Amino acid sequence: MASGFRGDVQGLRAVAVLVVVAAHAGVPLLPGGFVGVDVFFVISGFLISGLLYAELREGGTLSLGDFWSRRARRILPAATLVLVVTVVMSLFWTTLIDARDLLDEAVWSALFLANVHAAQQGVYYFAAETGPSPLQHYWSLAVEEQFYLVWPLLLLALVAAARVVTRRGKQQRLPRRTVLVALVVVAAASFAWSVHTTATSPAAAYFSTPARVWELAVGAITALVAPLVAPRLPRAVGWVLSVGGLVAVAAAVVVIDETTPFPGYAAALPVLGTAAVLLAGSGAGLLAAPVRWLLENPVMRRVGDWSYSLYLWHWPALVLTERNAGRPLTAVETAVVVLVVVNLAALTYRFVEQPFRTGAPARRLRSRRRLSLALYPASLAVVALACAGSWWWTGVQGGERGDNPAIAVAADVAALDDHERTVALVRASVEAARNQVDVPSDLTPDLLNLRSSIADVGACDYEDDDVRALCARGDVDGERTLVLLGDSHARAWIPALDRIATDHGWRAYYLVKPQCPAAHVVVAPVREDVVFTACEEFRAWSTATVAGLRPDLAIVASSPPVNGVWVDGEHRESLDDVADVLEEGYDALFDDLQDSADRTVLIRDVPKAGHDPGDCLTSSRPSLLDCMFTPVERSTLLGDVAVKSALLHSADVVDPTPWLCWQDLCPVVIGGTLSYRDTDHLTTEYAAALAGALGRALGLDDGS
């Protein structure tokens, strides 16, 4: 590796951050701008590994304390600043629920485990409605720091192994061939895993360290071989490598988009392109003149200096500004945000990054290594303090507002049955909203904990693709059996069915998987454009399981496909296409259940809101009237498709709409209970409150 300052590397950093910012800002024709992160990974692997190799060659060993203290000074000050500012700004620019939820993200980010959390959220359907986190981009920092926690340890292990093999106690020179073999093995294994997981679990693969390590390893391999290879390369080869590498990165930015399975094979284009440019830049005069001009001009070098801070600031600035506006930003607004971000990055580089790298603080920290390492706990403490303050603030703002009573039915309801009482309370809640009655002070569930109101499924959480157990619920010794089939909307009914099954002596099984409709249709996971193969496998298993159980009652509850359907290899989302395929899928489902179950009941899908009730109720001036909604038409029409198919197959239909809406108006607070946890999932508390009405509608309260 060429020694000294590398202007081309700074230019590559600039390219990486500019395409990332451009893509996130919605610049046309750059759909693959997110590959800039992959460029960063290769550059990081190249530079950091080059420093480690140099230290090994000079002293025969590594100082882990020195290495990790350098990383602390380089990464932590700016990362901590942006974390804290984002947490504080969320208090003023987002709803209280979003601000409270962000605290969890901040903790994961401060621990450099944001990628682990993002992988969980990526496959977790219940997080789909909340949008991207303002701190989601910290996942890439987590991948790097996890790599650099292990990589120097592996290098030391290889040095130790070389000493054992030679049986000499003298310090050994860098075992270049051994390191190269180890790197190739690691890169190959990681790449293979990346290809596999991208095909089977793309959302999780994107954030996975094992699926990304090969990109850093390619940079490390380039740093290892560059001193030997670059000086021997003909200038023509250097020109081909530099031009071809830059073209490969540019092609990736233009050709790759959000529908491309990534990282997988596709990531090889920007990764190998970056490595080619780095290799060419390691030799004197090998960079092609146009490439040298593009990467080493003063503007690109300055942007390269700011690249880390630019990356940190741009994402929360865009996300928080859009949430504050409550709508997508215009092109002019986006340009203003980017301009502000550039200035923030310049200031952060000047007054935060540089002092900790070359200024007086850096000199003091270098002389006392333990102080540098203390930056890690210090960063955690600062973030923890900011999170504690934010938690307190959201609690105060979201606490009791006066002494507003729950909504009550004016008439005597003692003589009414469960269904009639529920309908009367819904009507009273609609009328209260129309009359602009204040939001009840004591809400169930607690408003700030609304997102966590998700039905418990115990060990049988089929969101995990590997789970295939059966968990009996209700009266586990009951002689009669009911089975619940469907997606997350079916899961929302579990609190009611648990009570019903226990009270009436039924053994219950809940075969529910989020994003996986009960109808026999091929779907795509939320936010993805690939076939949801795990859903296909689960549906086949659940169909066979129901046939083996021979239940007395099969209950179907399911939303329309959340992300369209696949027909003859094409992804379709239009209402007509989805309706046609959905009808066939329900026909196939009810045909199977006619053979497997004594009785089948469809619980019609609940009405869907056009806005998030929790966001509305935690706005600056919450109003029952403003938060009340009319059902989304598309969801209602697709619900009709399921009802039609059920009736044609002699299945019974339970319509929960009267328990949620009156005169086509749906209150989000019914009595004193929040009915929805997001736009289309019931809260566990309200579902449990519907046990009596649902049991009567199912005909189970009379022992049938």
Side-chain angles (χ1 to χ4, degrees):
M1 184 178 70
S3 60
F5 178 80
R6 291 280 299 268
D8 59 310
V9 173
Q10 289 300 90
L12 272 177
R13 281 177 167 156
V15 169
V17 77
L18 288 175
V19 297
V20 169
V21 173
H24 289 162
V27 175
L29 305 179
L30 299 177
F34 57 85
V35 305
V37 173
D38 305 85
V39 175
F40 273 128
F41 283 157
V42 180
I43 294 172
S44 181
F46 177 82
L47 292 176
I48 303 301
S49 296
L51 293 174
L52 292 174
Y53 299 151
E55 185 175 348
L56 276 173
R57 282 195 299 272
E58 292 176 6
T61 188
L62 294 174
S63 170
L64 295 178
D66 286 345
F67 173 73
W68 287 328
S69 64
R70 289 195 301 270
R71 293 297 296 171
R73 294 195 302 272
R74 174 71 177 95
I75 297 297
L76 288 176
T80 305
L81 173 66
V82 175
L83 265 177
V84 171
V85 171
T86 302
V87 167
V88 173
M89 290 303 299
S90 71
L91 298 176
F92 304 98
W93 280 21
T94 68
T95 65
L96 293 179
I97 289 180
D98 285 341
R100 178 66 69 89
D101 288 345
L102 185 65
L103 305 185
D104 191 36
E105 305 274 354
V107 171
W108 285 92
S109 299
L111 292 171
F112 291 104
L113 293 171
N115 64 319
V116 176
H117 187 57
Q120 294 172 347
Q121 296 296 94
V123 298
Y124 194 43
Y125 176 55
F126 292 112
E129 293 288 345
T130 61
S133 163
L135 296 174
Q136 183 172 290
H137 64 317
Y138 272 68
W139 74 269
S140 61
L141 297 186
V143 169
E144 285 199 18
E145 296 315 298
Q146 290 161 22
F147 178 76
Y148 290 125
L149 179 65
V150 176
W151 179 223
L153 295 174
L154 178 58
L155 283 175
L156 285 177
L158 292 174
V159 171
R163 288 175 180 161
V164 171
V165 170
T166 57
R167 295 182 181 179
R168 284 184 287 173
K170 295 188 296 183
Q171 291 182 335
Q172 300 298 306
R173 293 179 60 81
L174 174 70
R176 189 182 299 270
R177 182 175 300 176
T178 304
V179 173
L180 181 60
V181 170
L183 277 171
V184 170
V185 170
V186 169
S190 172
F191 181 72
W193 179 250
S194 177
V195 171
H196 170 72
T197 54
T198 298
T200 58
S201 185
Y206 188 87
F207 303 107
S208 168
T209 297
R212 294 285 192 165
V213 159
W214 70 274
E215 302 181 25
L216 290 126
V218 166
I221 291 171
T222 305
L224 185 66
V225 303
L228 299 179
V229 174
R232 302 176 183 178
L233 290 177
R235 178 167 297 183
V237 174
W239 277 52
V240 170
L241 286 174
S242 57
V243 173
L246 208 56
V247 168
V249 173
V253 173
V254 174
V255 174
I256 294 173
D257 59 28
E258 61 181 8
T259 67
T260 306
F262 202 86
Y265 290 111
L269 187 60
V271 167
L272 296 181
T274 303
V277 176
L278 291 172
L279 180 60
S282 299
L286 291 182
L287 284 177
V291 174
R292 184 184 303 108
W293 177 85
L294 176 64
L295 298 183
E296 297 188 8
N297 70 77
V299 174
M300 292 295 281
R301 286 170 61 167
R302 177 58 66 184
V303 174
D305 291 341
W306 298 343
S307 60
Y308 179 53
S309 290
L310 269 173
Y311 181 77
L312 289 176
W313 282 116
H314 87 281
W315 182 247
L318 289 169
V319 172
L320 290 178
T321 305
E322 185 167 294
R323 289 192 183 180
N324 183 55
R327 56 171 173 75
L329 300 179
T330 65
V332 173
E333 290 169 335
T334 301
V336 171
V337 173
V338 171
L339 182 61
V340 170
V341 164
V342 170
N343 284 277
L344 279 174
L347 291 172
T348 304
Y349 176 77
R350 171 67 178 84
F351 295 106
V352 179
E353 286 192 65
Q354 284 296 89
F356 280 92
R357 294 174 64 187
T358 60
R363 289 191 291 272
R364 285 194 293 269
L365 290 171
R366 277 198 297 266
S367 63
R368 302 178 64 182
R369 187 176 63 192
R370 291 183 180 180
L371 284 180
S372 292
L373 295 176
L375 287 174
Y376 287 106
S379 171
L380 288 175
V382 171
V383 173
L385 184 62
C387 289
S390 180
W391 183 275
W392 172 82
W393 174 261
T394 53
V396 170
Q397 297 299 309
E400 293 188 3
R401 298 173 179 177
D403 190 20
N404 307 327
I407 301 164
V409 179
D412 183 11
V413 296
L416 303 180
D417 62 29
D418 290 315
H419 168 79
E420 293 168 335
R421 280 195 295 272
T422 301
V423 171
L425 186 57
V426 171
R427 176 175 179 173
S429 300
V430 171
E431 291 175 339
R434 284 173 168 172
N435 294 329
Q436 300 189 34
V437 170
D438 291 332
V439 177
S441 300
D442 187 13
L443 292 173
T444 304
D446 181 270
L447 190 53
L448 293 180
N449 296 322
L450 182 61
R451 301 281 192 240
S452 60
S453 183
I454 303 171
D456 175 48
V457 289
C460 288
D461 187 352
Y462 302 115
E463 187 170 5
D464 184 339
D465 297 336
D466 296 327
V467 173
R468 289 295 181 266
L470 275 178
C471 303
R473 299 274 287 265
D475 184 352
V476 296
D477 297 319
E479 295 182 358
R480 292 172 296 179
T481 301
L482 71 83
V483 173
L484 175 65
L485 296 168
D487 55 9
S488 58
H489 287 211
R491 178 172 175 168
W493 286 109
I494 288 176
L497 291 174
D498 263 348
R499 291 190 180 185
I500 294 168
T502 301
D503 291 345
H504 300 291
W506 286 69
R507 185 171 61 254
Y509 296 97
Y510 305 132
L511 307 183
V512 297
K513 182 178 181 67
Q515 302 187 60
C516 188
H520 293 182
V521 293
V522 181
V523 298
V526 66
R527 298 180 186 154
E528 296 182 33
D529 194 24
V530 296
V531 172
F532 192 4
T533 54
C535 175
E536 300 294 294
E537 295 167 358
F538 173 77
R539 192 182 294 127
W541 174 80
S542 60
T543 299
T545 300
V546 173
L549 289 172
R550 305 291 302 180
D552 300 276
L553 173 62
I555 301 174
V556 176
S558 187
S559 69
V562 297
N563 194 20
V565 294
W566 286 88
V567 182
D568 299 327
E570 294 183 3
H571 187 204
R572 301 183 184 178
E573 298 184 76
S574 73
L575 178 61
D576 290 340
D577 285 341
V578 173
D580 291 342
V581 174
L582 195 59
E583 183 174 3
E584 295 177 4
Y586 272 115
D587 288 344
L589 168 68
F590 289 123
D591 281 339
D592 287 343
L593 293 178
Q594 280 181 327
D595 297 331
S596 302
D598 292 345
R599 178 178 172 230
T600 300
V601 175
L602 169 73
I603 301 179
R604 182 190 174 101
D605 194 28
V606 298
K608 181 173 182 174
H611 61 263
D612 190 304
D615 287 350
C616 182
L617 288 171
T618 54
S619 63
S620 58
R621 293 186 178 180
S623 162
L624 289 176
L625 180 61
D626 292 340
C627 296
M628 187 161 57
F629 66 90
T630 57
V632 173
E633 183 181 22
R634 176 187 174 100
S635 181
T636 300
L637 293 174
L638 292 178
D640 292 339
V641 172
V643 170
K644 174 186 174 182
S645 179
L647 294 176
L648 288 175
H649 288 79
S650 301
D652 297 324
V653 176
V654 172
D655 186 357
T657 304
W659 307 331
L660 296 160
C661 309
W662 182 67
Q663 292 186 344
D664 210 32
L665 293 173
C666 309
V668 297
V669 177
I670 299 177
T673 304
L674 294 162
S675 52
Y676 283 77
R677 67 170 300 276
D678 52 25
T679 59
D680 54 351
H681 292 93
L682 298 182
T683 62
T684 60
E685 291 79 4
Y686 192 65
L690 295 177
L694 180 60
R696 183 175 182 82
L698 292 172
L700 302 187
D701 59 348
D702 58 4
S704 62

